[in-house]
Amino acid sequence: MKQRRSKKLKRDLPPAAVNIDELYEQIIITDAGADNNVADISSPSLSSSPTTKNHNNHEKTEEQLKQLEESGMMESQIWPMFKQCARSWMDQTQKDEHSKLTMKKVTLVLLQLLRVRQARQAANVLYFLRDNFDHNREDDEEEEDDDEDKEELSRGGNHHTDSGHDKNHMFRIMLVKELFSLDEKYYSHVLQFLSSAFSVCFVTVHDDGSSFHSLKTILIKHVVGIGLWEYMPCRYRDLILSSGGGSTGRLVSGKVYQRQWEAYNRKKKSCIDGKDKENQNKEVEEESLHLARFLPQVIEYVFQKVLFVTKAENDKHTPHHNILQGIHILCDLMELFNLLLSHSGTRRYLRPYLASLLFSTRCLLSYEDWKNTHNSEKFILPATTLEVTRQLLVSLQRLECFAIEDVSSKPLSDDEMKKMYHERAHVLQKLCHKYHFEEMSDVVYAGVGMVCKEGFLRKCLERVEGVEVLVDLCHRLRLVDRETVERDFGMLGGELGTENATRSRVKRFLVQVLVYHHTIKPSEARRLRELPLYPNESLLWDSNWVGPMEGGQGGLSKVLPKMSLQFLSFSDYLLRCFKLLRLESAYEIRSDLVDVIWRMRPALRHGYAHDMGYGAGVDEDDELKKKRSMTEFHGWSRMGLELVDDDGVSPVRLIKVSPPKLGESIPAEVLAEFTIDLKRCGESIRREWDSIGEFDNLFLMGIDAASVNGGPTSMLEEMKGENKYGALADDMNFPKRYGIIAVRGCMVLEVRDEDGNVLSDPSYQPVKSDKPKDTIKRYFKVALDPAQYAADATGKGSLFGLKVYQTLNVVVRRHGKENNFKAVLETVRSLMTGEGSINRSIPRWLQPVLLGYGDPASASFQSKKMIHFAEITPGVTPPDAALDYGDTFVNESHLRSSFEGNVVVDGRKDCDESKPQTRLNYRIKIDCKNGESNIIATSYPFLPDVSGNPVPFTPVQVKAIRSGLSPGLTMIVGPPGTGKTDVAVQIISNLYHSFPSQRTVLITHSNAALNDLFEKVMARGDIDERYCLRLGFGERDLQMETQFDFTKTGRVNHILSRRLNLLEEVQLLSESLGISGSAERGPDGSPSYTCETAAYFYLHHIQKRIQIFNNQVENDHLTASIGELYPFGKYFNFSDSALAVLTLEEAKKSFERIQTIFDELAEYRPLELLRSQKQRIDYLLTKQVKIVAMTCTHAAIARSQLIQLGFQYDNIVMEEAGQMLDIETFVPLLLQSGEIESMSRLKRICLIGDHHQLPPIVKNKDFSIFSNFDQSLFARLIRLGVPTIELNMQGRSRADIAELYNWRYNNLGNLGHISTDNKFLSCNPGFVHTYQLINVNDFEGRGEYSPTPYFYQNIGEAEYAVALFQYMVLIGYPPERISILTTYNGQKGLIEDIVSQRCGNGTPLAGIRPQSISTVDKYQGQQNDYIILSLVRTKSVGHLRDIRRLIVTVSRARLGMYVLCRQSLFAQCHDLKRVIDQFIKKPTKLELVTGEDYNTQRKANEQIPSEKKFVIDDVTVLGSIVHKMQQQLIS
């Protein structure tokens, strides 16, 4: 078996690279740089001198490795070689010196492979750490290639025997040990490896929920486990073991720590004594005990080299490059610690260990020293390194002091945190009173609240003259031992040093220790309240935080928050989301602002070029006014306008600054006004500016052409594809080049015209005027950001101070769909400040699952927790009761085929085939006993006059519907074409009918998907329109067969209209009974009744007559007929003959019809009492509607309003859950405030999506690569192991097209109609193949190109796509059944231009366009019969490398797909290999069938005579064919 695998390996790999020595020579990079030295490993020791190769060679090799990564060679060749070498090492039974040397080489190769990969890609590199090196498999498995092995592993497969598992575990232990035994110059790489490994464990677990359990065990249990405490100061460890370290719940924590410490010591003692020599895992245990040494060893190295020390010789003799190397190691170490402290499983032991070493205090003091010496001649530290260190330190301190209990992971409230610090302060006061009363009397007499304030305590401590008092206090508090002070600060023999410098540094160190331990840190919620929501110029062009789109953010990527699988608390979760949302929105805003300013072309006004100075004594306001007058704009932008300076002082006028609210430090409100003139704007642009309404966001910019550095580049130069500045949005020097000095955001409150009309009022109706005007001014009243204003007032926000608002001279608007960031950020911030409401809004059974803890299956409807919840919760079907499936089943046979087990329908075990199967509704009870399922179904009549459900659901879909009706969390994975939306619609309908008193909320990511879902819900016909409401800005796009719209206003108007119609019926009924006449109607003939009087009329007249009728009918001596007694014959226009044959059943049905009128009027009665439209809308939303639909973005915008209204709901169904950001899925769960502390009203949560398709859109790659921000909550829950129901039958695509993507899913098959329906069996007329990859060479010597950065186009593929579309239309294909897709917006625009030209006016195909020309990303969720796809790229694969995008791409077509691309490029991409290999089995030149048109009836599998086949060599051939066909059409 080994020989066969070796041959296969040699067949795929270069013959020269099959052993570790040769691989080592190819991969390991050696140079003389101190940061990248690789030791000579010819000897067993790694301490030999480094080899010498120049730095240029290092850079060249590094670039080669990156190219290998991009091309897929790293995955397809180098990585298999490495795995082969690792397997060879495992096969060696004797671990001699050569074997140890081999292991070191394997380790160094692994480190180098990891250097060119990011954390998310490291998961692929670390596959060998998850049972991937055993040969004990079946012969056929041995023949599988590495891709298949990895495929099995990614699905959770485990083919290894116990012995193989032990050997693999030993390999992992030895490998990690080798990593940790490397020389100090490798510390940075090893720490990066650990960060990547922990990211693999906690962030990038695979989509199917499989995780790296063995790696996780090694890293958590041994590297950051309780073994760290062996290197902790003994007195501090004893304190923790006895009392839990002074935290809340400390006694319980202390007992837990004691048990774990005793267990660790017993294991250690057993290994040392050798009592369990017969245990086959003894060697593994011995090795694992040594792994805990690594972090203390690195920390000790950092302490000696770079952290806070006072020995003079360290400063004099330490080379600067060694200090820099140490600082880089420290940054990597803090990055690792931040990651570990962010997870409860690793912070449990690490946080006490770091606290015992005073790690963050030492880092803080060292940073202050580095900052002070930054510009000194002795040592210059790069500014970027300083900023990285500062941000890492801030993050480390925040996580160290995070409000959570270490052992139980219980979140701590602000009061509990204050109590903990007050207890510490009280202990300090008692020690000061007992031992140092005279020196510390201020501390003794102060309240604990004052002692916990940093300013007061620092002042008191710095007042102490000697350091002996501080040393004694720290020693008694067990913060710092006397021996530690003597060792670190050179105080030997127990006597404190006498040098003033030494004593000063000692005092500074001890003061910082005491202050850090006792002072209360500001809460994160308070910090967020003081943070501006609108980005300013500093943040927008800070390359460290808001980097370029393609990534490459640099050092500060280390401190970006990570969206991992687990979170410490909801506060931690919201904080990470807020920071990333703010940064991502800043990047998008920067792109829009840059585009506007670039188009406006600011320049220095003519005549001012030499008048740049101002005389002494010039007024500052006049100076700013002159600056503004020096700037003019030579271009224009529809999204930006220059402000009008009405008062001659400032275009932006501050009109109100409200004082801060109680307990806050920023103004409550800051209002301003500004003016724009639309005289120069065209009518369409004028309408766009006039459409700006209340709560829209605008940006005010200050442009000073006099401050332009070197002048802006000409438009011609920037339009070149290869300009030196790169993408404008990514140019960090753009503000200097265009004179941007300030950016301030604002929210519109009111817009007025020159006549005082409020244009922002929705009820305003514009009046046309033919009178010409000299100006068309608009006056804006806006709310500025109070936090930004407070920062400007103190000089922190801008160097101009409050004068910055006088520099603003341009206003920029953004598209509404992209401008909702402020509302989302406000929502997240409000959740932070009112975090307690989360515990009331989200059910208790869901909270641990969302945070990533506990049993992932605990929220499933079949779990014990949910069964108990159903038993005690009203409005939830008990587990032993029947569920109402409604019209889920089209007939009885369908019902029986949907369940496994004994199915009994209406008491019958078998279906009666002799009777026709009529449509019925069913209630079903499933009883599982003794391993058998008994399904008991009871039918009830199907509603007449409704279409109902037309879909024969599969058994898996029925299972998903059952889960959606049951309480708990339902996760439905829907591959392309499997009917996700149909399942969602059925769940919604069943909830509506089964629980009529409950409200259901529908959430989607896009308006298009929401409209599609809402239309399908309404198309069923069994849900009353008056109970449905659509919120948001996309409700106008609903295409419904109804005269009513589903907006809030539309619903109110519909109800008022419906009320009038019903009152008219009441009036007619009253007149038919002779109670009222036509004279009582209104002057316009309107009915005289209201909802209130109609209720009295029903009570006194209708009910009375019905009761009399019933009493007469029940009389045994009745002689009259039913018709003679019937009281409403005149109202229903019954003739005498009709009354004569009237039956009692018909009479009772007419009574029900009358009662329905009055029941519906009773619901409308409150609308008569509510006079304003807003009150009626609010009532409708909170009291009447049962189904509320909105997008996830609108949910965030409207949350605060819904909470204020008291909005409540019981069920929530989310479609497209895989496309929503984590926070976008989380916020809709919090649209209600919760009823009581112990119970949430939310009962059912159904998430429907596909994590194998495109993730949420994150435009900046740094946030997706480093922060995992594009991870949806749906994908995160799947990765955590939450049970899912994966739909397994697709009915969209032909079977052969479905094979392009069904491999990505578990057993995805085809529905029956795929193999029987004629349209799937027939050919694509005019084409030889139903799908084909068409190789497109350079067109006129040109492949891909970029007119502007990231705007990729390919003229050859665009011409080919349009020509192919023309050919299809000319042979009869309906154009609406064809879509043209591409992977880039630039190509989309090019195709649209060519279609407009080829199918424009005067052409034979004038006015004919495909159904859609779109990008793949925008087309997700849509499909068409025929897809023409352009992949554009010819130099590199680009973002199609993401397999999820490829799955979306190939799953859009039902009947035919024709892909235009550069075959040689995409065929060598390893990530796309599985799909491209299927494509290239067919010819890569387009093959047509001559003489066929759209009506041709030919089966897809029929043989085509060779003489009828025509091969298209290139686009010119196809173009000539199309031209001839058009000429024939004309003639």
Side-chain angles (χ1 to χ4, degrees), residues 884 886-887 918-923 938-944 946:
D884 190 348
D887 60 355
T918 58
R919 190 71 184 268
L920 296 170
N921 292 347
Y922 294 94
R923 294 185 181 90
T938 305
S939 65
Y940 63 95
F942 182 75
L943 294 176
V946 298

Side-chain angles (χ1 to χ4, degrees), residues 5 111 133 154 223 228 285 410 417 425 578 691 908 944 953 981 996 1077 1141 1153 1185 1194 1200 1331 1398 1518:
R5 178 175 286 273
L111 273 180
F133 291 110
S154 68
V223 179
L228 281 176
E285 295 294 341
K410 173 190 173 184
M417 291 297 291
F578 180 88
S691 66
R908 292 178 281 103
F953 291 111
T981 304
V1141 296
R1153 178 180 172 184
V1185 295
H1194 187 80
S1200 59
Y1331 70 89
R1398 301 285 189 270
L1518 182 60

Side-chain angles (χ1 to χ4, degrees), residues 125-142:
V125 180
L126 296 170
Y127 263 107
F128 70 98
L129 291 175
R130 198 184 65 179
D131 304 335
N132 200 29
F133 291 110
D134 185 45
H135 298 303
N136 296 323
R137 306 185 182 186
E138 299 296 333
D139 289 349
D140 57 342
E141 290 178 339
E142 192 66 30

Side-chain angles (χ1 to χ4, degrees), residues 951-1144:
V951 180
F953 291 111
T954 67
V956 176
Q957 289 176 319
V958 172
K959 181 181 178 182
I961 294 170
R962 176 194 177 192
S963 179
L965 292 175
S966 304
L969 174 64
T970 298
M971 300 276 293
I972 302 174
V973 178
T978 53
K980 297 186 292 293
T981 304
D982 293 328
V983 171
V985 168
Q986 192 62 38
I987 291 174
I988 294 165
S989 174
N990 290 355
L991 289 174
Y992 171 83
H993 292 290
S994 301
F995 309 99
S997 62
Q998 296 183 8
R999 181 176 290 121
T1000 301
V1001 174
L1002 312 185
I1003 302 290
T1004 65
H1005 178 258
S1006 64
N1007 280 304
L1010 185 59
N1011 290 341
D1012 180 50
L1013 180 63
F1014 206 69
E1015 289 172 8
K1016 287 188 175 182
V1017 169
M1018 297 310 307
R1020 294 172 51 89
D1022 58 345
I1023 297 179
D1024 199 318
E1025 286 185 359
R1026 70 177 187 269
Y1027 293 127
C1028 299
L1029 179 65
R1030 165 73 159 83
L1031 302 180
F1033 303 105
E1035 67 271 8
R1036 299 288 181 184
D1037 299 329
L1038 283 172
Q1039 302 296 326
M1040 310 281 298
E1041 293 182 0
T1042 174
Q1043 58 179 323
F1044 311 111
D1045 65 55
F1046 286 88
T1047 65
K1048 291 181 289 186
T1049 304
R1051 287 293 86 201
V1052 171
N1053 294 336
H1054 163 67
I1055 287 176
L1056 295 178
S1057 175
R1058 176 69 175 166
R1059 166 185 168 274
L1060 289 177
N1061 294 335
L1062 294 176
L1063 290 178
E1064 178 65 25
E1065 294 296 323
V1066 174
Q1067 183 72 34
L1068 294 175
L1069 181 59
S1070 175
E1071 292 174 357
S1072 68
L1073 297 176
I1075 298 173
S1076 63
S1078 58
E1080 297 182 12
R1081 289 178 175 268
D1084 56 350
S1086 60
S1088 60
Y1089 283 93
T1090 64
C1091 293
E1092 182 180 5
T1093 56
Y1096 293 125
F1097 171 70
Y1098 177 75
L1099 180 65
H1100 295 291
H1101 297 282
I1102 304 302
Q1103 276 193 344
K1104 179 181 179 181
R1105 284 169 170 76
I1106 293 176
Q1107 187 175 3
I1108 293 174
F1109 174 82
N1110 290 332
N1111 292 336
Q1112 291 176 340
V1113 170
E1114 292 174 359
N1115 188 353
D1116 295 337
H1117 304 289
L1118 178 66
T1119 57
S1121 65
I1122 298 295
E1124 293 174 354
L1125 301 176
Y1126 185 69
F1128 306 120
K1130 186 177 180 181
Y1131 170 72
F1132 288 106
N1133 293 323
F1134 287 162
S1135 62
D1136 293 339
S1137 58
L1139 287 174
V1141 296
L1142 183 68
T1143 63
L1144 180 61

Side-chain angles (χ1 to χ4, degrees), residues 484-503:
T484 302
V485 176
E486 295 168 0
R487 181 185 71 248
D488 291 349
F489 294 90
M491 303 173 185
L492 304 177
E495 297 181 1
L496 295 177
T498 57
E499 295 183 6
N500 291 334
T502 300
R503 297 179 67 84

Side-chain angles (χ1 to χ4, degrees), residues 777-992:
K777 292 185 177 181
R778 299 292 183 260
Y779 302 93
F780 287 78
K781 181 180 179 181
V782 298
L784 299 174
D785 194 323
Q788 184 65 60
Y789 180 87
D792 292 334
T794 59
K796 296 179 180 179
S798 173
L799 297 176
F800 294 95
L802 290 181
K803 296 292 184 181
V804 69
Y805 296 98
Q806 296 184 27
T807 67
L808 305 174
N809 55 356
V810 172
V811 60
V812 177
R813 62 186 175 91
R814 303 175 70 219
H815 294 293
K817 294 180 180 180
E818 304 168 353
N819 212 20
N820 298 318
F821 68 97
K822 180 175 180 288
V824 178
L825 288 175
E826 280 184 327
T827 298
V828 178
R829 187 167 66 177
S830 66
L831 289 172
M832 278 284 296
T833 56
E835 188 192 351
S837 63
I838 295 179
N839 296 322
R840 296 192 301 270
S841 300
I842 297 180
R844 293 289 181 89
W845 46 265
L846 185 62
Q847 293 179 18
V849 176
L850 293 179
L851 290 176
Y853 301 112
D855 181 11
S858 61
S860 175
F861 76 97
Q862 294 178 323
S863 66
K864 293 181 180 180
K865 180 183 290 188
M866 294 314 304
I867 291 176
H868 176 70
F869 172 78
E871 291 173 346
I872 64 173
T873 305
V876 177
T877 305
D880 57 347
L883 284 175
D884 190 348
Y885 283 77
D887 60 355
T888 301
F889 308 101
V890 296
N891 51 46
E892 183 177 332
S893 297
H894 178 212
L895 184 152
R896 293 182 179 274
S897 63
S898 299
F899 295 96
E900 295 181 357
N902 302 320
V903 181
V904 178
V905 181
D906 293 334
R908 292 178 281 103
K909 292 186 177 180
D910 298 317
C911 183
D912 190 356
E913 301 292 346
S914 61
K915 297 182 179 179
Q917 295 192 21
T918 58
R919 190 71 184 268
L920 296 170
N921 292 347
Y922 294 94
R923 294 185 181 90
I924 299 176
K925 178 180 179 181
I926 300 178
D927 188 12
C928 296
K929 292 182 179 179
N930 301 324
E932 291 187 359
S933 297
N934 297 312
I935 295 90
I936 303 173
T938 305
S939 65
Y940 63 95
F942 182 75
L943 294 176
D945 302 326
V946 298
S947 58
N949 164 50
V951 180
F953 291 111
T954 67
V956 176
Q957 289 176 319
V958 172
K959 181 181 178 182
I961 294 170
R962 176 194 177 192
S963 179
L965 292 175
S966 304
L969 174 64
T970 298
M971 300 276 293
I972 302 174
V973 178
T978 53
K980 297 186 292 293
T981 304
D982 293 328
V983 171
V985 168
Q986 192 62 38
I987 291 174
I988 294 165
S989 174
N990 290 355
L991 289 174
Y992 171 83

Side-chain angles (χ1 to χ4, degrees), residues 219 678 743 966 1138-1139 1161 1341 1499:
L219 297 177
L678 303 178
V743 177
S966 304
L1139 287 174
L1161 281 173
K1499 297 300 181 182

